[in-house]
PDB file of all heavy atoms in Angstrom:
ATOM      1  N   VAL L 503       3.924  -8.724 -11.681  1.00 98.00           N
ATOM      2  CA  VAL L 503       5.118  -9.148 -12.442  1.00 98.00           C
ATOM      3  C   VAL L 503       6.382  -8.882 -11.637  1.00 98.00           C
ATOM      4  O   VAL L 503       6.687  -7.745 -11.300  1.00 98.00           O
ATOM      5  CB  VAL L 503       5.194  -8.418 -13.803  1.00 98.00           C
ATOM      6  CG1 VAL L 503       6.347  -9.002 -14.612  1.00 98.00           C
ATOM      7  CG2 VAL L 503       3.881  -8.531 -14.566  1.00 98.00           C
ATOM      8  N   SER L 504       7.132  -9.948 -11.349  1.00 98.00           N
ATOM      9  CA  SER L 504       8.437  -9.809 -10.701  1.00 98.00           C
ATOM     10  C   SER L 504       9.483  -9.621 -11.769  1.00 98.00           C
ATOM     11  O   SER L 504       9.589 -10.438 -12.706  1.00 98.00           O
ATOM     12  CB  SER L 504       8.738 -11.063  -9.878  1.00 98.00           C
ATOM     13  OG  SER L 504       7.804 -11.228  -8.815  1.00 98.00           O
ATOM     14  N   ILE L 505      10.256  -8.533 -11.682  1.00 98.00           N
ATOM     15  CA  ILE L 505      11.252  -8.187 -12.716  1.00 98.00           C
ATOM     16  C   ILE L 505      12.611  -8.735 -12.298  1.00 98.00           C
ATOM     17  O   ILE L 505      13.292  -8.182 -11.442  1.00 98.00           O
ATOM     18  CB  ILE L 505      11.312  -6.661 -12.920  1.00 98.00           C
ATOM     19  CG1 ILE L 505       9.923  -6.081 -13.117  1.00 98.00           C
ATOM     20  CG2 ILE L 505      12.239  -6.351 -14.092  1.00 98.00           C
ATOM     21  CD1 ILE L 505       9.196  -6.596 -14.339  1.00 98.00           C
ATOM     22  N   MET L 506      13.037  -9.825 -12.962  1.00 98.00           N
ATOM     23  CA  MET L 506      14.259 -10.518 -12.553  1.00 98.00           C
ATOM     24  C   MET L 506      15.489  -9.643 -12.671  1.00 98.00           C
ATOM     25  O   MET L 506      16.375  -9.648 -11.800  1.00 98.00           O
ATOM     26  CB  MET L 506      14.421 -11.795 -13.387  1.00 98.00           C
ATOM     27  CG  MET L 506      15.567 -12.691 -12.888  1.00 98.00           C
ATOM     28  SD  MET L 506      15.628 -14.285 -13.749  1.00 98.00           S
ATOM     29  CE  MET L 506      16.837 -15.158 -12.742  1.00 98.00           C
ATOM     30  N   GLU L 507      15.565  -8.853 -13.747  1.00 97.00           N
ATOM     31  CA  GLU L 507      16.741  -8.009 -13.937  1.00 97.00           C
ATOM     32  C   GLU L 507      16.876  -6.954 -12.846  1.00 97.00           C
ATOM     33  O   GLU L 507      17.981  -6.401 -12.647  1.00 97.00           O
ATOM     34  CB  GLU L 507      16.675  -7.345 -15.333  1.00 97.00           C
ATOM     35  CG  GLU L 507      17.926  -6.581 -15.708  1.00 97.00           C
ATOM     36  CD  GLU L 507      17.835  -5.970 -17.098  1.00 97.00           C
ATOM     37  OE1 GLU L 507      17.097  -6.486 -17.938  1.00 97.00           O
ATOM     38  OE2 GLU L 507      18.513  -4.955 -17.352  1.00 97.00           O
ATOM     39  N   LYS L 522      16.508 -19.150 -13.965  1.00 98.00           N
ATOM     40  CA  LYS L 522      15.279 -18.465 -14.343  1.00 98.00           C
ATOM     41  C   LYS L 522      14.056 -19.242 -13.850  1.00 98.00           C
ATOM     42  O   LYS L 522      13.052 -18.661 -13.431  1.00 98.00           O
ATOM     43  CB  LYS L 522      15.209 -18.269 -15.856  1.00 98.00           C
ATOM     44  CG  LYS L 522      14.026 -17.449 -16.351  1.00 98.00           C
ATOM     45  CD  LYS L 522      14.104 -17.254 -17.858  1.00 98.00           C
ATOM     46  CE  LYS L 522      12.922 -16.436 -18.352  1.00 98.00           C
ATOM     47  NZ  LYS L 522      12.972 -16.245 -19.830  1.00 98.00           N
ATOM     48  N   VAL L 605      11.473   1.299 -16.417  1.00 97.00           N
ATOM     49  CA  VAL L 605      12.520   0.294 -16.478  1.00 97.00           C
ATOM     50  C   VAL L 605      12.321  -0.583 -17.707  1.00 97.00           C
ATOM     51  O   VAL L 605      11.204  -0.772 -18.195  1.00 97.00           O
ATOM     52  CB  VAL L 605      12.565  -0.589 -15.219  1.00 97.00           C
ATOM     53  CG1 VAL L 605      12.812   0.275 -13.991  1.00 97.00           C
ATOM     54  CG2 VAL L 605      11.258  -1.362 -15.060  1.00 97.00           C
ATOM     55  N   LYS L 606      13.429  -1.120 -18.204  1.00 95.00           N
ATOM     56  CA  LYS L 606      13.365  -2.030 -19.333  1.00 95.00           C
ATOM     57  C   LYS L 606      12.930  -3.400 -18.841  1.00 95.00           C
ATOM     58  O   LYS L 606      13.374  -3.889 -17.805  1.00 95.00           O
ATOM     59  CB  LYS L 606      14.716  -2.127 -20.014  1.00 95.00           C
ATOM     60  CG  LYS L 606      15.141  -0.828 -20.729  1.00 95.00           C
ATOM     61  CD  LYS L 606      16.492  -1.006 -21.422  1.00 95.00           C
ATOM     62  CE  LYS L 606      16.898   0.278 -22.129  1.00 95.00           C
ATOM     63  NZ  LYS L 606      18.233   0.126 -22.805  1.00 95.00           N
ATOM     64  N   MET L 607      12.075  -4.036 -19.635  1.00 97.00           N
ATOM     65  CA  MET L 607      11.604  -5.394 -19.324  1.00 97.00           C
ATOM     66  C   MET L 607      11.885  -6.299 -20.488  1.00 97.00           C
ATOM     67  O   MET L 607      11.991  -5.863 -21.643  1.00 97.00           O
ATOM     68  CB  MET L 607      10.084  -5.379 -19.041  1.00 97.00           C
ATOM     69  CG  MET L 607       9.691  -4.674 -17.764  1.00 97.00           C
ATOM     70  SD  MET L 607       7.880  -4.647 -17.515  1.00 97.00           S
ATOM     71  CE  MET L 607       7.475  -3.059 -18.289  1.00 97.00           C
ATOM     72  N   SER L 608      12.013  -7.577 -20.199  1.00 96.00           N
ATOM     73  CA  SER L 608      12.161  -8.549 -21.272  1.00 96.00           C
ATOM     74  C   SER L 608      10.821  -8.617 -22.009  1.00 96.00           C
ATOM     75  O   SER L 608       9.790  -8.151 -21.516  1.00 96.00           O
ATOM     76  CB  SER L 608      12.508  -9.924 -20.702  1.00 96.00           C
ATOM     77  OG  SER L 608      11.412 -10.428 -19.964  1.00 96.00           O
ATOM     78  N   ALA L 609      10.828  -9.198 -23.183  1.00 97.00           N
ATOM     79  CA  ALA L 609       9.581  -9.326 -23.945  1.00 97.00           C
ATOM     80  C   ALA L 609       8.543 -10.103 -23.170  1.00 97.00           C
ATOM     81  O   ALA L 609       7.340  -9.751 -23.169  1.00 97.00           O
ATOM     82  CB  ALA L 609       9.878 -10.028 -25.297  1.00 97.00           C
ATOM     83  N   GLU L 610       8.977 -11.135 -22.450  1.00 97.00           N
ATOM     84  CA  GLU L 610       8.075 -11.922 -21.673  1.00 97.00           C
ATOM     85  C   GLU L 610       7.502 -11.113 -20.499  1.00 97.00           C
ATOM     86  O   GLU L 610       6.294 -11.172 -20.227  1.00 97.00           O
ATOM     87  CB  GLU L 610       8.806 -13.147 -21.121  1.00 97.00           C
ATOM     88  CG  GLU L 610       7.944 -14.120 -20.324  1.00 97.00           C
ATOM     89  CD  GLU L 610       8.722 -15.322 -19.828  1.00 97.00           C
ATOM     90  OE1 GLU L 610       9.914 -15.449 -20.179  1.00 97.00           O
ATOM     91  OE2 GLU L 610       8.124 -16.145 -19.089  1.00 97.00           O
ATOM     92  N   GLU L 611       8.331 -10.358 -19.833  1.00 97.00           N
ATOM     93  CA  GLU L 611       7.877  -9.517 -18.712  1.00 97.00           C
ATOM     94  C   GLU L 611       6.946  -8.419 -19.201  1.00 97.00           C
ATOM     95  O   GLU L 611       5.944  -8.120 -18.534  1.00 97.00           O
ATOM     96  CB  GLU L 611       9.078  -8.922 -17.997  1.00 97.00           C
ATOM     97  CG  GLU L 611       9.894  -9.921 -17.209  1.00 97.00           C
ATOM     98  CD  GLU L 611      11.214  -9.379 -16.711  1.00 97.00           C
ATOM     99  OE1 GLU L 611      11.684  -8.341 -17.262  1.00 97.00           O
ATOM    100  OE2 GLU L 611      11.826 -10.002 -15.827  1.00 97.00           O
ATOM    101  N   LYS L 612       7.260  -7.812 -20.342  1.00 97.00           N
ATOM    102  CA  LYS L 612       6.399  -6.739 -20.891  1.00 97.00           C
ATOM    103  C   LYS L 612       5.038  -7.292 -21.236  1.00 97.00           C
ATOM    104  O   LYS L 612       3.998  -6.629 -20.976  1.00 97.00           O
ATOM    105  CB  LYS L 612       7.042  -6.144 -22.117  1.00 97.00           C
ATOM    106  CG  LYS L 612       6.250  -4.950 -22.708  1.00 97.00           C
ATOM    107  CD  LYS L 612       6.135  -3.830 -21.722  1.00 97.00           C
ATOM    108  CE  LYS L 612       5.667  -2.508 -22.365  1.00 97.00           C
ATOM    109  NZ  LYS L 612       4.314  -2.631 -22.968  1.00 97.00           N
ATOM    110  N   ALA L 613       4.971  -8.495 -21.800  1.00 98.00           N
ATOM    111  CA  ALA L 613       3.690  -9.108 -22.126  1.00 98.00           C
ATOM    112  C   ALA L 613       2.873  -9.362 -20.852  1.00 98.00           C
ATOM    113  O   ALA L 613       1.672  -9.118 -20.799  1.00 98.00           O
ATOM    114  CB  ALA L 613       3.907 -10.398 -22.889  1.00 98.00           C
ATOM    115  N   ALA L 614       3.578  -9.818 -19.814  1.00 98.00           N
ATOM    116  CA  ALA L 614       2.903 -10.073 -18.523  1.00 98.00           C
ATOM    117  C   ALA L 614       2.433  -8.756 -17.887  1.00 98.00           C
ATOM    118  O   ALA L 614       1.348  -8.698 -17.312  1.00 98.00           O
ATOM    119  CB  ALA L 614       3.852 -10.798 -17.574  1.00 98.00           C
ATOM    120  N   PHE L 615       3.255  -7.727 -18.007  1.00 98.00           N
ATOM    121  CA  PHE L 615       2.868  -6.408 -17.482  1.00 98.00           C
ATOM    122  C   PHE L 615       1.645  -5.861 -18.212  1.00 98.00           C
ATOM    123  O   PHE L 615       0.723  -5.341 -17.577  1.00 98.00           O
ATOM    124  CB  PHE L 615       4.043  -5.425 -17.626  1.00 98.00           C
ATOM    125  CG  PHE L 615       3.750  -4.026 -17.130  1.00 98.00           C
ATOM    126  CD1 PHE L 615       3.746  -3.741 -15.777  1.00 98.00           C
ATOM    127  CD2 PHE L 615       3.462  -3.013 -18.015  1.00 98.00           C
ATOM    128  CE1 PHE L 615       3.442  -2.467 -15.317  1.00 98.00           C
ATOM    129  CE2 PHE L 615       3.179  -1.729 -17.576  1.00 98.00           C
ATOM    130  CZ  PHE L 615       3.178  -1.467 -16.209  1.00 98.00           C
TER     131      PHE L 615
END
Side-chain angles (χ1 to χ4, degrees):
V503 186
S504 297
I505 309 299
M506 188 173 190
E507 187 178 334
K522 185 177 179 180
V605 300
K606 292 181 179 180
M607 292 178 268
S608 68
E610 183 179 356
E611 290 169 342
K612 183 60 166 64
F615 178 78

